[in-house]
Structures are given as structure tokens and as C-alpha cells.
């Protein structure tokens, strides 16, 4: 038996916090009985509905690794009807992205219907490593990159420790390619971190997420994760 909000989140329907709001708001019924208190325990045998719609507790889990192209939004649906990352994947199950990449960011993006793994991977306490390759306008100095690595203030809060190193410089065009390894997933984090030391990001690619890369996948294409890869992800976030 598990707590109701945890079971709802594990289906991938929403986050655990959102599930708590739905329960408190009187939207959730278990075996036909409305539940508004926290702490009720349920099993995967129970019938759970949200606003009268049954949620599927036993759906097979699917995991996709997408090489996200530029010009696609990371969302499950868009009010302007633009193409989303979910539209790129031929899957009838309701899947969603694990975290976000900006419209113009390319690279590694995981999509799944496994709410439990998603919540673990994006939880800040699990420190999942993300490697970004940024093309910058300008060439940062060693000292600036050390300052970046120690933490800079973005949106009023210091970033945790990161590692930055120059991969390439082009003096003629006054641009550089810099690798940045971070363990957080704040909004527009990489662009804001470079802005904090005075550089604009011209291009951004996520090179790896939890050590998964898309070197073998063309832009806009994807592959399923193997059972071994899924197990490794669980081991990575559960061992802490
Ligand atoms: N940081 C950003 O600024 N943008 C992304 O898409 C991902 C990380």
C-alpha cells in the first residue's frame, strides 16, 4: 500500500504536489468515495478517478531518448498549436518530457510515462548530471569560468557548484564553445548563468543527461531505452 498522492504521481498523471492539490480540492475518488485528506493509503488494485476519469495504474512504462531539434517546444501541448517534442514520437500512450529544454536548445531529452522515475530524475536532491555545450558571444577568461563554477546568482539564488571549460575559441568571430556541467534544472539555467558572467549564449545543446547521450541518434529522431538503461537510471536516483 502506498499513499494516494504517490500512486497518482507514479502513473505520470501529474507531480506529487499537484496530486495533493487535486486531493485537497475534492477531485479524487477511491473506489467511489471522495478523498480530501492526505495520508490515505491505496494499492494498485483500487479504482482511482480524478474528476470522474479513471486513471490507469497498470499501464506499461515506455522510455524514449530524443535528439531534440531546434524550434520545437518541450511541452505536452501548446495553446498556439505548435509542434511539441511529444508529437515527434509515435506512441499512443500519454508520455511527457523529463524536464525542459528551450525552444532553441537541441540535444538529449528523455520522454516517458513513468511518473515515479520522472519525479526522481528532476528532484533537485538527486543531483542528476547534465552536460551542456554552449556557443557564446565572446570568450570568457579562466577567472570568469572559475567564478561561474563556484556559483553565480540567478533569479535571486546562487547556483550550486558546476564545472565549465573552454572547448574551442574563435578569435576572428569572437565566439567560443564552452562545456558546462550542472546538477540543477532551473529555468533557462545555462543561459542565465553565462549572462551572469557577461556572455550571451548563441547556441545551446544538451550533450548528456544522467550520462545518456544522443551521439547515435539523428536530430529529430529517437530510440527506446533498454531495460538495462532504465535500471541504471533508477539505481542512480534511488541509491541516495
Ligand atoms: N538551460 C537553458 O538556459 N536552456 C535550456 O534549454 C536548458 C538549460
Amino acid at each position: 500500500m502506498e499513499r494516494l498522492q504517490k500512486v497518482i504521481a507514479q502513473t505520470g498523471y501529474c507531480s506529487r504536489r499537484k496530486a495533493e492539490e487535486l486531493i485537497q480540492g475534492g477531485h479524487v475518488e477511491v473506489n467511489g468515495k471522495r478523498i480530501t485528506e492526505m495520508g490515505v493509503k491505496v494499492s494498485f488494485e483500487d479504482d482511482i478517478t480524478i474528476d470522474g476519469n479513471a486513471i490507469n495504474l497498470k499501464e506499461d512504462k515506455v522510455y524514449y531518448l530524443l535528439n531534440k531539434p531546434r524550434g520545437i517546444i518541450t511541452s505536452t501541448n501548446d495553446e498556439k498549436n505548435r509542434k511539441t517534442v511529444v508529437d515527434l514520437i509515435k506512441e499512443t500512450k500519454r508520455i511527457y518530457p523529463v524536464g525542459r529544454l528551450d525552444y532553441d536548445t537541441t540535444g538529449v531529452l528523455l520522454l516517458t510515462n513513468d511518473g515515479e522515475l520522472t519525479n526522481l530524475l528532476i528532484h533537485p536532491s538527486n543531483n542528476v548530471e547534465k552536460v551542456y555545450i554552449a556557443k557564446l558571444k565572446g570568450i570568457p577568461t579562466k577567472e570568469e569560468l572559475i567564478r561561474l563554477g563556484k556559483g553565480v546568482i540567478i533569479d535571486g539564488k546562487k547556483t550550486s557548484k558546476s564545472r565549465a571549460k573552454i572547448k574551442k575559441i574563435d578569435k576572428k568571430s569572437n565566439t567560443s564553445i564552452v562545456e558546462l556541467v550542472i546538477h540543477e534544472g532551473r529555468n533557462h539555467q545555462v543561459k542565465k548563468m553565462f549572462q551572469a558572467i557577461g556572455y550571451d549564449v548563441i547556441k545551446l545543446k544538451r550533450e548528456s543527461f544522467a550520462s545518456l547521450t544522443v551521439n547515435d541518434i539523428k536530430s529529430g529522431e529517437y530510440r527506446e531505452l533498454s531495460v538495462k538503461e532504465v535500471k541504471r537510471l533508477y539505481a542512480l536516483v534511488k541509491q541516495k
Side-chain angles (χ1 to χ4, degrees):
M1 301 279 274
E2 294 271 18
R3 290 159 78 87
L4 177 56
Q5 61 270 37
K6 186 172 176 190
V7 171
I8 294 173
Q10 279 176 358
T11 67
Y13 185 89
C14 58
S15 67
R16 204 181 292 191
R17 187 178 308 162
K18 179 76 190 160
E20 286 170 2
E21 284 170 19
L22 289 170
I23 294 167
Q24 277 159 352
H27 298 272
V28 181
E29 289 184 7
V30 176
N31 303 325
K33 186 167 172 269
R34 177 153 304 168
I35 304 290
T36 52
E37 293 143 40
M38 288 308 124
V40 171
K41 293 210 167 166
V42 294
S43 82
F44 283 83
E45 303 304 317
D46 288 312
D47 290 325
I48 301 173
T49 60
I50 297 175
D51 292 328
N53 299 313
I55 57 169
N56 187 351
L57 301 179
K58 296 192 191 93
E59 191 170 68
D60 286 344
K61 300 292 182 244
V62 288
Y63 306 86
Y64 294 101
L65 180 62
L66 170 72
N67 185 354
K68 180 192 173 294
R70 203 179 310 271
I72 302 272
I73 60 162
T74 304
S75 172
T76 45
N77 57 2
D78 178 46
E79 72 271 8
K80 291 186 209 147
N81 256 336
R82 286 174 300 180
K83 203 168 183 177
T84 74
V85 286
V86 173
D87 296 327
L88 295 176
I89 295 184
K90 289 191 195 78
E91 172 60 68
T92 51
K93 295 188 178 80
R94 184 185 167 276
I95 55 168
Y96 43 84
V98 178
R100 256 169 204 281
L101 289 181
D102 294 337
Y103 185 73
D104 55 353
T105 301
T106 60
V108 180
L109 185 67
L110 212 60
L111 294 104
T112 179
N113 58 350
D114 183 341
E116 183 190 11
L117 184 62
T118 300
N119 291 332
L120 287 166
L121 286 171
I122 63 178
H123 198 280
S125 69
N126 278 321
N127 287 318
V128 170
E129 183 180 276
K130 295 120 193 160
V131 180
Y132 289 91
I133 304 288
K135 181 174 184 183
L136 305 184
K137 187 159 173 29
I139 303 167
T141 62
K142 240 190 181 156
E143 291 69 34
E144 286 168 330
L145 292 185
I146 290 170
R147 184 152 66 85
L148 185 75
K150 286 184 178 162
V152 287
I153 306 286
I154 62 169
D155 301 325
K157 195 171 163 252
K158 197 170 174 182
T159 56
S160 64
K161 281 204 175 68
S162 65
R163 293 193 314 272
K165 70 171 178 220
I166 300 259
K167 302 284 280 182
K168 224 176 174 184
I169 55 176
D170 185 343
K171 287 195 176 143
K172 231 162 122 194
S173 63
N174 190 33
T175 58
S176 55
I177 308 286
V178 181
E179 179 188 275
L180 180 64
V181 183
I182 61 173
H183 295 88
E184 301 168 289
R186 291 158 62 183
N187 217 5
H188 309 303
Q189 177 153 354
V190 175
K191 291 175 185 168
K192 285 179 181 169
M193 283 177 73
F194 282 114
Q195 267 158 15
I197 59 160
Y199 296 89
D200 281 338
V201 172
I202 307 170
K203 259 186 180 177
L204 186 61
K205 178 181 180 193
R206 181 150 69 187
E207 184 71 7
S208 84
F209 175 88
S211 302
L212 292 167
T213 65
V214 287
N215 300 336
D216 54 344
I217 305 173
K218 288 191 192 133
S219 173
E221 296 190 357
Y222 59 90
R223 68 167 174 85
E224 279 199 69
L225 290 190
S226 67
V227 172
K228 200 171 155 195
E229 285 173 315
V230 175
K231 281 193 178 157
R232 187 187 63 79
L233 288 178
Y234 263 107
L236 185 74
V237 288
K238 279 197 157 167
Q239 72 198 0
K240 298 198 174 92

